[in-house]
Amino acid sequence: MTNRDTSKAVSRRTFIKGVIAAGAAVSSANYLFRASTLLGQPQSIGVAERLITINVNGQQRRVDVMKQETLAWTLRYKLGLTGTKLGCDRAECGSCTVLVDDVPHYSCSMLTHTVRNKKILTIEGLAAADGTLHPVQQGIIDEQGFQCAFCMPGFIMSTVGFLKANPNPTRAELAHGVSGNLCRCQDYDKILTAMMRGAENMRKANGV
Ligand code: FES
Ligand code: FES
């Protein structure tokens, strides 16, 4: 290779490095910028954030929230609680389910401003402080439920909420109770078996 070829190769390598670095910078900027936009809409007049306090997993959290911001958005992109999944983002799949005052709700379809003074429980708040899994979580380990597990946090939160009101359900009752949750892997039979085991674990834990 001549000196001229070598210098061309070096400058091409430098050029490619520059493009990759710029791409990485743009990607990171997009990710960070996402936190202060809603559904790709940049903030504009009338959507200013307001600092509010919400109770999440037993902690008072101060957070800047836009007035039309959903709870799922706040949990994931403002508080970093990404265990709550966003599937459809339109109240159809249940993957975003969290408990609000012990009742399961689709967090993609609730405005964060409406949950002030309520207690939010997400999948991150289920295990005990010492790391002991919640009985329903343990049921999944026991039965090896779920395939890809994208839908799992939503199913768990729905089941935990359902069991609070119905601690000893039949399989059919529990199936009805979590019917607002969809699994794209269609692993329903195994999921239900795991949830029934979770219900059993919970009754044992409560001495029932
Ligand atoms: S993401 Fe909320 S119901 Fe699908
Ligand atoms: S196990 Fe994959 S979406 Fe439910």
Side-chain angles (χ1 to χ4, degrees):
M1 194 184 269
T2 66
N3 280 349
R4 201 158 157 221
D5 290 341
T6 307
S7 106
K8 261 191 189 168
V10 169
S11 66
R12 181 170 162 68
R13 194 176 307 133
T14 309
F15 171 74
I16 290 170
K17 269 188 186 168
V19 169
I20 292 170
V26 168
S27 303
S28 318
N30 278 345
Y31 183 78
L32 291 172
F33 185 61
R34 217 165 41 160
S36 43
T37 62
L38 185 63
L39 302 177
Q41 301 292 316
Q43 284 184 47
S44 58
I45 295 165
V47 292
E49 296 184 347
R50 269 189 65 187
L51 191 59
I52 65 170
T53 302
I54 53 176
N55 185 314
V56 183
N57 299 331
Q59 293 183 327
Q60 295 293 105
R61 305 288 305 265
R62 295 283 280 168
V63 59
D64 280 328
V65 174
M66 289 174 280
K67 65 182 179 185
Q68 78 277 42
E69 185 170 313
T70 65
L71 179 57
W73 191 269
T74 306
L75 292 171
R76 288 182 56 83
Y77 301 119
K78 300 283 180 71
L79 300 179
L81 297 171
T82 53
T84 297
K85 303 300 178 202
L86 267 174
C88 65
D89 206 8
R90 58 179 63 191
E92 286 174 1
C93 72
S95 59
C96 63
T97 303
V98 299
L99 299 193
V100 178
D101 284 347
D102 286 343
V103 178
H105 283 275
Y106 293 160
S107 61
C108 72
S109 304
M110 295 190 89
L111 295 179
T112 308
H113 281 278
T114 67
V115 299
R116 282 181 283 183
N117 307 319
K118 296 183 189 292
K119 289 186 178 149
I120 316 300
L121 184 67
T122 72
I123 189 77
E124 289 90 348
L126 268 191
D130 67 357
T132 305
L133 292 177
H134 184 281
V136 173
Q137 291 175 308
Q138 186 57 49
I140 292 161
I141 307 283
D142 297 342
E143 295 292 340
Q144 298 288 295
F146 294 95
Q147 286 188 39
C148 78
F150 180 85
C151 63
M152 185 172 71
F155 266 99
I156 292 175
M157 299 314 293
S158 291
T159 302
V160 170
F162 181 80
L163 293 176
K164 283 180 186 287
N166 308 276
N168 193 11
T170 63
R171 194 175 172 92
E173 285 167 345
L174 185 55
H176 186 69
V178 298
S179 59
N181 291 73
L182 303 180
C183 170
R184 283 181 283 191
C185 301
Q186 308 217 342
D187 206 15
Y188 294 110
D189 197 49
K190 212 160 66 168
I191 290 172
L192 208 47
T193 300
M195 294 303 163
M196 284 300 283
R197 175 66 85 96
E200 190 187 326
N201 289 347
M202 209 155 153
R203 286 193 299 277
K204 277 187 196 152
N206 293 334
V208 181

